[in-house]
Amino acid sequence: MKKYVSFALGAFGHDAFYNTLSLYFVMFVTSQLFTTNDAAFNTRMIGYVTLLMTVIRIAEIMFDPMIGGAVDNTKTKWGKFKPWLLAGTIVASLMLALIFTDFGGIAISKPLLYLVLFGIAFLTLDVFYSFSDIALWSMLPALSMDSKERTKFGTFSRFGSTLGAQSVIIVIVPLVTLFSSWFGAKHGNQNAMGWLGYAIVIGLLASFGAIFLARNVKEDKNLIRENVEHTRFRDVFKVIGSNDQLMWLALSYFLFAFSYVINNSLLLYYFRYVLGHAEAYSYIGIITCVLGVISVAAFPMLAEKISRKFVYIGGIGVMFIGFIIFTLAGQNLFLALLAASIIFFPYPMIFLSTLMTISDLVEYGQLKSGKRNEAVTLSVRPLIDKLAGAFSNGIVGLVAVGAGMTGNVKPSDITSSGLFQFKAFMFYIPMVLLIISAIIFLRKVTLTEEKHADVVKALRQKLGDNSAEVN
């Protein structure tokens, strides 16, 4: 239980960090960073920043499997995951606080220099966050060989990460407003210092969570895990490409993740610029925190009764219903809250289905290739999440500018064409992606829990009858 709780606390801060970066940094850029009287300058700089973020994240993401290889090849007395988890989280947290500033005013006075410095800071953040992200989730197959035991660890970790991610939704508006009031803002308005204070709080949560996890969780040792060879960096993509099940799962999960993230990234814009009730956005966090707990708690039972595969596909079906309700919501706050809740409810279960399947694919790949690659294999999931987030960051900035949803404009200022463009990216495109994702998972992902048990049995026989615990 101590391990389970520690994993949950580490995941809590980790996903609070991720949601802050993926969902709200662009909001800071569009609402606080570039708000001069020169509208052309504001639009141009917002475009440059979002483009820079997208390019950096996509370029860095291609190195994620190599980061996984570095983690796999690490040998220390603390194991191979903890050093990367701690260093990655702490450095990324420092960079998070930095990018939530105007770099001492040069964002306006020296915009070119700002872009250079921002690019360096954001690249540093992204690289070190990748190390912490891959190290955190790659621990799962290192904690047990049994799918049911892994499901317990995965459930607790997702419980923590769900609370962390959704708590951000609850606290972001109150915290930013509170910190803003400490630095001169009046009448519930926000300023840049309020956003900086919020970013510092999130960085501290992530860092303390990583420290607590590292102190209390240890890797298991067994002969299957000891059967590891040094993975050359030039071979990491070969490891991924040779695992056919991993490739199909990756494609399906990317389409799902992209559709979910782009909708979630535009949600605050919807409440602020369509409904005109930015303060009601906090209700989403409260509702989804409760639903997240229920969803995560229900996963083990559902996975056992209908299998992970149909949890994944059924969850997408539920989300699709939520999207349909959202397209009909208009400016009805109740329907918007209902739709957002329905879309979110199956998300933790779909995530867990993906995570548990990828964890089992470690042994599948080991049996197929003769080499065990935990971090390289598990790096695919965060790679996909970050790739979806990178595309989403770029698109959200462009959609916000194109729809006229910047600064302090009111819902009445949004044109009908701007609103249609906004809805196309928030609702219609994600719905199509969800359908394709479900079809791919149904037809191409065939590694079930039963087949994984057969794979582990075959590995034990291959390594010898005494392939249980080393010590």
Side-chain angles (χ1 to χ4, degrees):
M1 184 56 66
K2 188 176 182 180
K3 287 184 178 181
Y4 295 151
V5 173
S6 298
F7 218 113
L9 288 174
F12 179 94
H14 190 76
D15 268 37
F17 185 107
Y18 178 79
N19 258 20
T20 294
L21 182 64
S22 295
L23 303 183
Y24 304 120
F25 177 67
V26 174
M27 174 64 79
F28 164 75
V29 172
T30 59
S31 66
Q32 298 296 329
L33 192 57
F34 299 110
T35 57
T36 69
N37 294 324
D38 187 345
F41 171 80
N42 297 339
T43 299
R44 185 168 63 252
M45 289 301 294
I46 290 171
Y48 287 154
V49 169
T50 53
L51 177 62
L52 193 56
M53 288 171 58
T54 304
V55 171
I56 288 174
R57 297 193 81 179
I58 292 175
E60 185 277 326
I61 284 166
M62 297 301 105
F63 290 95
D64 270 12
M66 295 185 183
I67 291 174
V71 174
D72 270 335
N73 294 332
T74 298
K75 291 184 178 181
T76 72
K77 64 180 181 180
W78 303 286
K80 62 184 181 182
F81 302 110
K82 294 180 183 179
W84 297 114
L85 173 67
L86 291 172
T89 302
I90 292 171
V91 173
S93 296
L94 292 172
M95 292 299 104
L96 182 71
L98 181 59
I99 66 171
F100 271 90
T101 70
D102 60 4
F103 285 59
I106 66 171
I108 305 300
S109 62
K110 298 180 180 179
L112 181 59
L113 178 59
Y114 166 79
L115 291 174
V116 172
L117 295 179
F118 170 78
I120 295 171
F122 193 84
L123 177 61
T124 303
L125 182 156
D126 216 35
V127 169
F128 278 89
Y129 181 79
S130 292
F131 272 108
S132 69
D133 196 33
I134 291 170
L136 173 69
W137 297 110
S138 297
M139 285 187 185
L140 280 174
L143 300 176
S144 175
M145 290 291 111
D146 182 72
S147 286
K148 290 185 178 179
E149 184 68 15
R150 285 180 180 175
T151 297
K152 291 180 182 178
F153 274 106
T155 300
F156 271 84
S157 66
R158 191 57 202 172
F159 177 80
S161 65
T162 297
L163 288 181
Q166 303 316 121
S167 294
V168 165
I169 298 175
I170 298 173
V171 303
I172 183 168
V173 174
L175 271 185
V176 172
T177 303
L178 174 64
F179 288 129
S180 296
S181 69
W182 291 359
F183 292 94
K186 297 180 179 179
H187 308 298
N189 292 324
Q190 299 176 358
N191 59 29
M193 290 302 296
W195 283 88
L196 174 59
Y198 163 76
I200 291 173
V201 169
I202 296 301
L204 290 173
L205 275 176
S207 298
F208 283 123
I211 292 170
F212 195 83
L213 190 158
R215 284 175 58 87
N216 295 301
V217 176
K218 295 182 180 180
E219 304 170 33
D220 281 349
K221 293 184 178 181
N222 56 62
L223 290 181
I224 291 179
R225 287 200 68 237
E226 293 296 316
N227 181 235
V228 176
E229 298 180 22
H230 184 87
T231 302
R232 296 175 297 183
F233 286 120
R234 67 185 183 186
D235 292 335
V236 293
F237 287 101
K238 183 179 179 181
V239 168
I240 294 172
S242 64
N243 193 325
D244 59 305
Q245 286 293 284
L246 182 61
M247 294 299 291
W248 283 117
L249 178 59
L251 177 58
S252 175
Y253 183 68
F254 171 75
L255 296 174
F256 158 77
F258 183 56
S259 65
Y260 177 79
V261 171
I262 192 171
N263 174 268
N264 212 23
S265 298
L266 290 169
L267 196 55
L268 182 52
Y269 287 86
Y270 186 91
F271 275 76
R272 181 170 181 176
Y273 296 110
V274 178
L275 293 178
H277 292 290
E279 74 287 350
Y281 183 70
S282 296
Y283 298 156
I284 293 290
I286 298 171
I287 294 169
T288 52
C289 265
V290 175
L291 292 178
V293 172
I294 297 171
S295 179
V296 171
F299 173 76
M301 179 186 67
L302 288 174
E304 186 172 352
K305 287 188 175 296
I306 65 175
S307 81
R308 296 172 190 161
K309 184 169 190 172
F310 290 102
V311 170
Y312 185 103
I313 296 169
I316 286 180
V318 172
M319 291 180 71
F320 195 83
I321 294 172
F323 273 102
I324 292 175
I325 295 174
F326 230 147
T327 62
L328 303 174
Q331 292 188 312
N332 188 306
L333 178 59
F334 173 77
L335 284 181
L337 290 171
L338 176 64
S341 301
I342 293 174
I343 290 172
F344 169 79
F345 178 70
Y347 173 73
M349 290 190 274
I350 295 172
F351 177 93
L352 279 169
S353 297
T354 304
L355 182 62
M356 295 299 97
T357 303
I358 292 180
S359 297
D360 288 353
L361 285 171
V362 172
E363 285 76 43
Y364 175 84
Q366 184 178 3
L367 182 63
K368 189 173 183 179
S369 67
K371 294 183 179 181
R372 183 177 182 83
N373 298 97
E374 292 171 336
V376 170
T377 303
L378 269 293
S379 71
V380 171
R381 201 278 312 159
L383 181 155
I384 293 169
D385 275 335
K386 287 188 292 182
L387 190 62
F391 281 119
S392 175
N393 284 155
I395 290 174
V396 166
L398 295 176
V399 171
V401 171
M405 297 179 179
T406 59
N408 293 313
V409 301
K410 299 177 181 179
S412 58
D413 298 325
I414 308 300
T415 65
S416 57
S417 62
L419 186 60
F420 177 79
Q421 175 183 318
F422 178 79
K423 288 184 175 181
F425 282 93
M426 187 172 180
F427 305 134
Y428 309 136
I429 294 174
M431 291 170 73
V432 174
L433 297 179
L434 283 179
I435 293 173
I436 299 172
S437 170
I439 292 172
I440 292 173
F441 199 95
L442 176 65
R443 302 191 61 173
K444 295 297 184 179
V445 180
T446 59
L447 184 71
T448 62
E449 294 90 318
E450 293 76 15
K451 288 184 178 180
H452 173 256
D454 293 337
V455 168
V456 172
K457 183 179 179 180
L459 278 173
R460 293 193 187 282
Q461 291 174 347
K462 184 178 180 180
L463 294 173
D465 292 337
N466 61 337
S467 59
E469 298 301 302
V470 172
N471 53 32

